[in-house]
Amino acid sequence: MLKITDLVKRYGTGEPVLKNLDLTIEGESVVSIIGSSGAGKSTLLRCINQLVKPTSGSIVLNGTELTALRGKDLREARRKIGMVFQGFNLVDRLTVMENVQSGRLGYISTWSAITRNYPKADIRRAFELMERVGIAQYANSRADQLSGGERQRVGVVRALMQQPEILLADEPTASLDPKTSEQIMGLLRDLAGELKLPVVINIHNVTEAKEYTDRIVGMRYGRIIFDDKPDKLDEAAMEEIYAGSPHADRGGDMVKAS
Ligand SMILES: Nc1ncnc2c1ncn2[C@@H]1O[C@H](COP(=O)(O)OP(=O)(O)OP(=O)(O)O)[C@@H](O)[C@H]1O
Ligand SMILES: [Mg+2]
């Protein structure tokens, strides 16, 4: 369970970007976070995985208070949080297997990593996951030879190699064509169920958020102003979340409560 209480994040001396935010995520649910550009979606994910230090408040993942951790404890806790990025964040000149195994850094010795002498169990697990997402045939290909959708599958497998307790994805499909984007969303949803893993996805595509996630959290100016099942996201709620914003993909007629 992830329990965020009274979270505040202020960059420098400006107005807080996250304002006393509360959010609890339980079970293997797939949660999407929507909201205009600048609402604080990425900052929220970065606070969860501690890439950004919250100004105040509490973030507890399965009993561990993350905001209090330092050094080794922090590194250990961060392994439990898998991260998937919009730009995939692969090392282009390395193979798919090497990229995937980088998810094990922190678990294996530096020597094993440098010599690419990966533990057998890690190689087995990598192949299982790569088979699952349909990229096993590319294990020895360089990452930059893959298509965007395939590269994101590598990103997902790398995150899963960490054996995370939660998976965070910051606009994982924003760089993909519409069909590939849907495939990746479907994959994330299915993996959440299969691995009993909560998944939190920042996303601008409201149609996909409605179709592929169980719960939609709407943010505006650093606050959560909507938190409900997708079919409750009606036009009035959309208006409130996106009022005055030219950025939103409002999802066409999907906006209507279904
Ligand atoms: N490192 C930083 N230093 C200062 N301000 C920042 C930093 N990162 C983000 N901000 C500011 O915090 C606010 C929220 O940014 P954030 O990236 O969290 O929004 P977002 O909802 O993810 O937007 P988008 O949909 O465009 O990705 C913005 O006003 C942004 O300019
Ligand atoms: Mg963002």
Side-chain angles (χ1 to χ4, degrees):
M1 181 172 92
L2 176 73
K3 190 169 171 57
I4 297 175
T5 316
D6 211 13
L7 182 66
V8 175
K9 175 60 193 178
R10 176 187 278 117
Y11 292 108
T13 54
E15 206 192 326
V17 168
L18 300 178
K19 298 168 184 153
N20 310 91
L21 190 141
D22 295 319
L23 178 67
T24 299
I25 293 170
E26 284 178 281
E28 62 213 58
S29 58
V30 186
V31 180
S32 53
I33 301 184
I34 63 169
S36 303
S37 193
K41 305 180 297 295
S42 294
T43 301
L44 174 59
L45 290 199
R46 289 192 196 119
C47 282
I48 298 171
N49 73 6
Q50 301 285 300
L51 283 174
V52 149
K53 198 174 151 26
T55 304
S56 62
S58 158
I59 304 174
V60 177
L61 178 63
N62 297 330
T64 305
E65 172 62 63
L66 300 179
T67 59
L69 299 176
R70 300 285 177 275
K72 182 165 166 284
D73 293 339
L74 176 60
R75 286 195 296 279
E76 269 172 24
R78 287 189 58 193
R79 280 187 219 154
K80 298 176 186 162
I81 305 170
M83 190 79 192
V84 174
F85 304 90
Q86 174 180 348
F88 322 127
N89 290 19
L90 306 182
V91 183
D92 282 342
R93 62 189 170 72
L94 296 184
T95 65
V96 166
M97 178 59 90
E98 287 163 346
N99 270 284
V100 159
Q101 291 296 345
S102 71
R104 298 300 296 168
L105 290 176
Y107 282 104
I108 63 172
S109 72
T110 312
W111 181 248
S112 298
I114 291 173
T115 57
R116 313 219 193 316
N117 193 6
Y118 308 120
K120 278 204 181 68
D122 287 358
I123 292 183
R124 203 176 316 121
R125 179 72 180 142
F127 268 113
E128 278 169 16
L129 289 168
M130 289 191 293
E131 289 275 2
R132 169 62 189 85
V133 308
I135 55 166
Q137 68 272 36
Y138 302 125
N140 295 314
S141 303
R142 267 176 60 134
D144 57 4
Q145 291 172 350
L146 273 57
S147 70
E150 289 158 354
R151 286 161 70 77
Q152 192 54 296
R153 287 165 204 269
V154 177
V156 170
V157 171
R158 177 185 54 194
L160 295 177
M161 285 297 289
Q162 281 173 243
Q163 293 173 297
E165 293 175 9
I166 188 167
L167 188 64
L168 311 178
D170 199 352
E171 300 193 39
T173 62
S175 303
L176 304 174
D177 66 69
K179 186 161 171 267
T180 310
S181 175
E182 297 222 6
Q183 288 169 346
I184 295 292
M185 287 299 288
L187 180 67
L188 290 172
R189 176 196 56 197
D190 295 347
L191 288 170
E194 289 166 31
L195 301 172
K196 310 254 175 286
L197 190 68
V199 178
V200 184
I201 307 175
N202 281 355
I203 184 165
H204 278 291
N205 187 319
V206 176
T207 311
E208 286 182 6
K210 287 186 134 193
E211 184 160 351
Y212 294 99
T213 69
D214 310 315
R215 173 179 168 196
I216 296 183
V217 170
M219 285 184 69
R220 183 164 174 80
Y221 299 136
R223 291 201 170 87
I224 292 174
I225 59 166
F226 177 90
D227 185 352
D228 214 327
K229 294 206 158 45
D231 62 359
K232 294 287 190 315
L233 185 70
D234 58 13
E235 209 146 342
M238 284 291 289
E239 198 52 49
E240 215 184 318
I241 297 167
Y242 287 111
S245 165
H247 297 292
D249 163 13
R250 290 166 173 242
D253 55 7
M254 287 294 287
V255 171
K256 296 194 196 93
S258 43

